[in-house]
Amino acid sequence: MDLAVSSSPEALTQLRAPWQELFDACPAAPIFLSWEWLSRWWAHFGADHELRLVTVREGGQLVGIAPLMIRHSASSPELRFIGREETTDYADLLTLPGHEQAVVAALLDHVQAFREEAGSVALEPLLEDSPLLHALRGEGPSLMTESSIKIEPIEPCPYIPLASDWDAYLAGLPKKDRHELRRKLRRAEADGPLILDVATDPQEIAERLPVFFSMHRASVDAHKANFLSAEIEAFFTDAFGALAERGWTRLSLLRFGDQPVASAVSFERGDTVSLYNSGFDPAFRALSPGIALVALELQAAIERGRTTYDFMRGNERYKYDLGGRDRFVYRATLPSLTPSPRGGG
């Protein structure tokens, strides 16, 4: 295994084709590990960080990428995955299937060298089935077992294993939740026909994003409403468009007749649909338009033969009412091994 490290932003551009090829060979990898997402994130937010792009090759073939960066603080440099909590639900290594253990071992050697020479490490948010997380827990031969590694859950990421048809999905819900969902859909439909209007074309998505942004800003959730700064809005416009070019973005509008009342952005790749963000017109709150939109998106995913609906990070009640099952993302922190400024003991 040959490991290389680059701190030049030009490396992102130079790696575009092999990165895309590697990502396409990893059908289970989340969108957040794609070149499209990470290159846009870096273009919008990377100025305050130092790039630390780690690549692993075998026989000249790219088999692993660790998209890392260094965040400088008053105390010491910290090695992290590219991204931040507000925008990135999952982070990890991107590894060619079959090469996971070797790539993880190569990265951990680099992590140890960083700790000895520079500072601390914080790797998050890692899904519970991540080979890297297992290695950090010492689960396997010759892996890290030191007691100074701290691993803690961050938050749940509910998901639904989708049934083969809508009736089977409904039958799988607890009786109370099934009754409540049907009641909300009937109440919403009583105000007019429910129309799920979906855009996947990049130009159509660009034209409809202002509606999505408007509904997001109108949220009664203060944190959600305040989150959408001009900086975040510009990033979303860029990133959603880039992902749409690969066929991975869905921008859904729920209309009551001609009136848009709810909107959501999802990512669809392989057999999985991932709900990234949503909003609704609070004037229609009594009709539960957000629930109606997600329910119709679930139904559409089932009809397209998808097998997983991922709500991603957050423990909002509606996710469980619709059948969500928990899995968690974790944070692994590793303290610096450099001598203290006072020279230790």
Side-chain angles (χ1 to χ4, degrees):
M1 289 285 178
D2 297 318
L3 182 146
V5 181
S6 178
S7 58
S8 169
E10 286 74 25
L12 279 169
T13 302
Q14 296 165 358
L15 274 173
R16 176 177 181 172
W19 192 325
Q20 289 174 329
E21 182 179 351
L22 177 59
F23 187 73
D24 290 345
C26 303
I31 285 294
F32 306 105
L33 299 186
S34 69
W35 180 88
E36 286 75 11
W37 181 269
L38 288 167
S39 65
R40 267 58 178 192
W41 192 96
W42 190 260
H44 286 268
F45 305 115
D48 295 332
H49 309 281
E50 179 185 340
L51 188 65
R52 192 87 167 200
L53 196 58
V54 180
T55 56
V56 182
R57 286 180 165 84
E58 184 175 48
Q61 179 187 12
L62 184 66
V63 296
I65 298 174
L68 300 168
M69 65 183 187
I70 300 173
R71 184 175 71 179
H72 294 276
S73 65
S75 55
S76 69
E78 183 179 63
L79 187 67
R80 307 178 62 89
F81 282 114
I82 296 174
R84 65 188 192 192
E85 180 181 356
E86 295 89 343
T87 58
T88 304
D89 285 51
Y90 306 136
D92 209 332
L93 305 176
L94 181 63
T95 308
L96 188 68
H99 293 74
E100 291 86 356
Q101 188 168 350
V103 172
V104 166
L107 176 69
L108 292 183
D109 286 343
H110 176 71
V111 164
Q112 286 295 80
F114 180 86
R115 296 171 67 200
E116 292 169 359
E117 299 168 5
S120 60
V121 179
L123 300 175
E124 61 173 312
L126 295 167
L127 273 167
E128 58 190 34
D129 60 354
S130 164
L132 176 57
L133 182 62
H134 293 322
L136 291 168
R137 283 174 164 158
E139 299 170 356
S142 302
L143 298 176
M144 303 183 80
T145 58
E146 62 180 272
S147 59
S148 61
I149 297 175
K150 181 180 180 181
I151 297 175
E152 56 190 336
I154 302 174
E155 62 182 327
C157 304
Y159 73 102
I160 302 174
L162 295 177
S164 57
D165 58 59
W166 181 244
D167 289 338
Y169 160 73
L170 290 174
L173 292 175
K175 182 177 179 180
K176 179 181 178 182
D177 293 337
R178 180 169 63 249
H179 172 77
E180 184 65 13
L181 176 57
R182 284 173 167 162
R183 185 185 68 82
K184 288 180 177 178
L185 288 174
R186 284 196 301 268
R187 183 172 60 183
E189 290 169 340
D191 198 60
L194 289 179
I195 300 171
L196 183 63
D197 185 2
V198 180
T200 58
D201 176 78
Q203 183 59 41
E204 290 184 2
I205 288 173
E207 293 170 353
R208 299 180 187 195
L209 272 176
V211 177
F212 168 77
F213 291 146
S214 176
M215 290 185 179
H216 199 286
R217 283 192 295 269
S219 174
V220 293
D221 181 333
H223 174 75
K224 188 171 184 176
N226 295 333
F227 159 73
L228 196 62
S229 64
E231 184 182 38
I232 294 290
E233 187 173 318
F235 165 63
F236 280 169
T237 300
D238 196 6
F240 295 165
L243 295 174
E245 293 286 351
R246 299 293 305 276
W248 296 329
T249 307
R250 286 173 60 88
L251 197 161
S252 303
L253 290 178
L254 180 67
R255 301 182 188 273
F256 289 161
D258 293 331
Q259 176 68 43
V261 296
S263 180
V265 169
S266 302
F267 304 135
E268 181 170 74
R269 183 168 186 254
D271 293 330
T272 299
V273 179
S274 302
L275 178 63
Y276 182 65
N277 223 318
S278 62
F280 64 88
D281 186 339
F284 292 84
R285 183 179 180 85
L287 298 178
S288 303
I291 295 294
L293 171 59
V294 176
L296 292 180
E297 275 282 89
L298 276 168
Q299 186 172 14
I302 291 171
E303 291 171 351
R304 295 195 307 279
R306 305 302 179 250
T307 59
T308 304
Y309 195 88
D310 186 1
F311 288 110
M312 297 202 283
R313 290 174 61 172
N315 62 350
E316 294 86 349
R317 182 68 254 168
Y318 79 90
K319 298 179 180 181
Y320 301 100
D321 293 342
L322 290 171
R325 304 179 185 180
D326 269 343
R327 57 180 175 176
F328 286 80
V329 285
Y330 289 78
R331 175 189 300 114
T333 52
L334 297 80
S336 172
L337 298 176
T338 58
S340 69
R342 298 173 60 184

